[in-house]
Amino acid sequence: AQSVTQLGSHVSVSEGALVLLRCNYSSSVPPYLFWYVQYPNQGLQLLLKYTSAATLVKGINGFEAEFKKSETSFHLTKPSAHMSDAAEYFCAVGTGTASKLTFGTGTRLQVTL
Amino acid sequence: DAGVTQSPTHLIKTRGQQVTLRCSPKSGHDTVSWYQQALGQGPQFIFQYYEEEERQRGNFPDRFSGHQFPNYSSELNVNALLLGDSALYLCASSLRGLILYEQYFGPGTRLTVT
């Protein structure tokens, strides 16, 4: 079985500040990990993915995430927040031959002036 | 290159009715997965279709069924609708056999059951 925990359902940062969205996973086999972003009334867009290659993964829009096996974490960061980053962010895990994704409950990012 | 498309965009149904949602995968993709996203929650996996067969299923009752056509498009059917079925239904497509399980999501169909 696999699961994802996203700490903090709401995160608020000032424009230009560091963005840190937390994700911890549980998996009995080596995981594949993903971050998706969802803007209001839209579907999910893939930000980045970890697939057992480099532990530091760079994605679109300046986001990156680091896979830490010892901490079972895959936190999402961005050095400088922009107003357009305001959205809902979901961490997801997939494992083995099961290509279904298990999602966390999401973190709503608010960016203030 | 067309992405994943879903229809209709919005739907309102009454308890006990049946509904059919449709999905066309991204060009070149052969696998379709369906997810249910309740308000304020993350998407929950319903099932996945490949080669016109259901390959994986999440923890959803038999009222939820699907179909995949030879052109890889897919339908999600829900019978005997309950108020709790109100949600955003997301379709995701991928190319089976390609590692990384990268799934591309459509904009979703918002179903409201009254």
Side-chain angles (χ1 to χ4, degrees):
Chain A
Q2 58 204 42
S3 65
V4 171
T5 301
Q6 291 185 241
L7 298 176
S9 59
H10 290 85
V11 170
S12 182
V13 301
S14 300
E15 190 174 36
L18 171 71
V19 175
L20 171 60
L21 305 183
R22 300 178 185 274
C23 172
N24 288 89
Y25 69 91
S26 173
S27 174
S28 57
V29 297
Y32 293 145
L33 295 161
F34 305 81
W35 275 100
Y36 283 86
V37 61
Q38 186 176 37
Y39 297 100
N41 301 313
Q42 294 188 27
L44 302 175
Q45 180 183 9
L46 181 67
L47 278 177
L48 49 80
K49 58 184 181 284
Y50 166 76
T51 58
S52 74
T55 57
L56 182 61
V57 180
K58 295 187 183 298
I60 62 172
N61 301 338
F63 285 94
E64 63 181 37
E66 184 173 8
F67 173 70
K68 292 186 177 181
K69 183 178 179 180
S70 61
E71 299 178 8
T72 60
S73 68
F74 190 58
H75 301 331
L76 181 70
T77 61
K78 182 175 180 177
S80 177
H82 190 273
M83 295 296 289
S84 61
D85 294 328
E88 188 89 20
Y89 291 80
F90 293 95
C91 182
V93 61
T95 59
T97 57
S99 55
K100 71 173 186 176
L101 295 178
T102 299
F103 286 84
T105 53
T107 297
R108 181 168 298 278
L109 176 65
Q110 181 182 18
V111 182
T112 60
L113 289 173
Chain B
D1 177 22
V4 179
T5 60
Q6 293 185 242
S7 63
T9 305
H10 295 86
L11 204 52
I12 299 175
K13 290 288 188 177
T14 304
R15 278 178 298 176
Q17 287 188 318
Q18 178 265 344
V19 67
T20 297
L21 310 181
R22 296 177 175 81
C23 171
S24 291
K26 178 180 170 64
S27 178
H29 285 183
D30 58 6
T31 301
V32 173
S33 301
W34 287 93
Y35 293 81
Q36 179 195 66
Q37 185 179 15
L39 196 62
Q41 300 295 317
Q44 299 287 318
F45 176 77
I46 303 175
F47 43 53
Q48 183 182 83
Y49 277 83
Y50 170 66
E51 290 186 335
E52 302 179 46
E53 290 189 16
E54 183 182 296
R55 300 293 178 170
Q56 295 184 72
R57 189 177 184 91
N59 188 26
F60 280 80
D62 292 344
R63 296 188 298 109
F64 289 78
S65 63
H67 187 78
Q68 186 180 35
F69 300 93
N71 66 353
Y72 309 120
S73 66
S74 176
E75 288 182 349
L76 164 65
N77 301 293
V78 187
N79 296 320
L81 284 167
L82 304 174
L83 294 179
D85 295 331
S86 295
L88 179 67
Y89 288 85
L90 296 166
C91 169
S93 74
S94 56
L95 182 60
R96 193 172 181 87
L98 181 69
I99 62 171
L100 311 181
Y101 311 129
E102 187 165 328
Q103 297 189 10
Y104 290 81
F105 284 80
T109 293
R110 184 162 298 282
L111 172 65
T112 301
V113 182
T114 62

Short mmCIF file of all heavy atoms in Angstrom, two decimals, chain B residues 1 9-10 20 26 58 70 75 90 96 103:
data_model
loop_
_atom_site.label_atom_id
_atom_site.label_comp_id
_atom_site.label_asym_id
_atom_site.label_seq_id
_atom_site.Cartn_x
_atom_site.Cartn_y
_atom_site.Cartn_z
N ASP B 1 -1.13 19.71 -31.19
CA ASP B 1 -1.37 18.40 -30.57
C ASP B 1 -2.43 18.54 -29.48
O ASP B 1 -2.21 19.22 -28.48
CB ASP B 1 -0.06 17.87 -29.98
CG ASP B 1 -0.24 16.55 -29.27
OD1 ASP B 1 -1.23 15.86 -29.57
OD2 ASP B 1 0.59 16.22 -28.42
N THR B 9 -18.63 19.51 -19.75
CA THR B 9 -17.87 20.27 -18.76
C THR B 9 -18.57 20.23 -17.41
O THR B 9 -17.92 20.08 -16.37
CB THR B 9 -17.72 21.72 -19.22
OG1 THR B 9 -17.13 21.73 -20.50
CG2 THR B 9 -16.85 22.49 -18.24
N HIS B 10 -19.87 20.42 -17.46
CA HIS B 10 -20.68 20.40 -16.25
C HIS B 10 -21.92 19.55 -16.49
O HIS B 10 -22.41 19.45 -17.62
CB HIS B 10 -21.14 21.81 -15.85
CG HIS B 10 -20.05 22.73 -15.46
ND1 HIS B 10 -19.33 23.47 -16.37
CD2 HIS B 10 -19.52 23.02 -14.25
CE1 HIS B 10 -18.43 24.19 -15.73
NE2 HIS B 10 -18.52 23.94 -14.45
N THR B 20 -23.19 9.36 -17.91
CA THR B 20 -22.05 8.90 -18.71
C THR B 20 -21.15 10.08 -19.00
O THR B 20 -21.61 11.11 -19.49
CB THR B 20 -22.51 8.28 -20.04
OG1 THR B 20 -23.30 7.11 -19.76
CG2 THR B 20 -21.30 7.88 -20.88
N LYS B 26 -4.89 12.02 -24.94
CA LYS B 26 -3.89 12.77 -25.70
C LYS B 26 -3.45 11.92 -26.88
O LYS B 26 -3.36 10.69 -26.79
CB LYS B 26 -2.72 13.09 -24.77
CG LYS B 26 -1.55 13.83 -25.41
CD LYS B 26 -0.48 14.06 -24.36
CE LYS B 26 0.81 14.59 -24.98
NZ LYS B 26 0.63 15.91 -25.59
N GLY B 58 -9.82 0.99 -8.27
CA GLY B 58 -9.70 1.52 -6.92
C GLY B 58 -10.87 1.07 -6.07
O GLY B 58 -11.66 0.22 -6.47
N PRO B 70 -12.00 1.20 -29.39
CA PRO B 70 -10.81 0.91 -30.18
C PRO B 70 -9.95 2.15 -30.47
O PRO B 70 -8.74 2.02 -30.69
CB PRO B 70 -11.38 0.32 -31.48
CG PRO B 70 -12.66 -0.31 -31.04
CD PRO B 70 -13.21 0.61 -29.99
N GLU B 75 -15.31 5.95 -21.64
CA GLU B 75 -16.50 6.43 -20.94
C GLU B 75 -16.48 5.97 -19.50
O GLU B 75 -16.01 4.86 -19.20
CB GLU B 75 -17.77 5.91 -21.61
CG GLU B 75 -18.09 6.51 -22.95
CD GLU B 75 -19.39 5.98 -23.52
OE1 GLU B 75 -19.94 5.00 -22.97
OE2 GLU B 75 -19.85 6.55 -24.53
N LEU B 90 -12.00 13.43 -13.23
CA LEU B 90 -10.84 13.69 -14.07
C LEU B 90 -10.45 12.45 -14.85
O LEU B 90 -10.43 11.34 -14.31
CB LEU B 90 -9.66 14.12 -13.20
CG LEU B 90 -9.82 15.44 -12.45
CD1 LEU B 90 -8.76 15.58 -11.37
CD2 LEU B 90 -9.76 16.62 -13.41
N ARG B 96 1.10 3.27 -22.12
CA ARG B 96 1.50 2.08 -21.37
C ARG B 96 2.79 1.55 -21.95
O ARG B 96 3.01 1.52 -23.15
CB ARG B 96 0.43 1.01 -21.45
CG ARG B 96 0.63 -0.11 -20.45
CD ARG B 96 -0.57 -1.04 -20.45
NE ARG B 96 -0.44 -2.12 -19.49
CZ ARG B 96 -0.81 -2.02 -18.23
NH1 ARG B 96 -1.31 -0.89 -17.77
NH2 ARG B 96 -0.67 -3.04 -17.41
N GLN B 103 1.14 10.84 -16.40
CA GLN B 103 -0.26 10.92 -16.80
C GLN B 103 -0.63 12.37 -17.08
O GLN B 103 -0.30 13.26 -16.32
CB GLN B 103 -1.15 10.35 -15.70
CG GLN B 103 -0.89 8.87 -15.45
CD GLN B 103 -1.90 8.23 -14.53
OE1 GLN B 103 -2.92 8.80 -14.19
NE2 GLN B 103 -1.62 7.00 -14.13
#
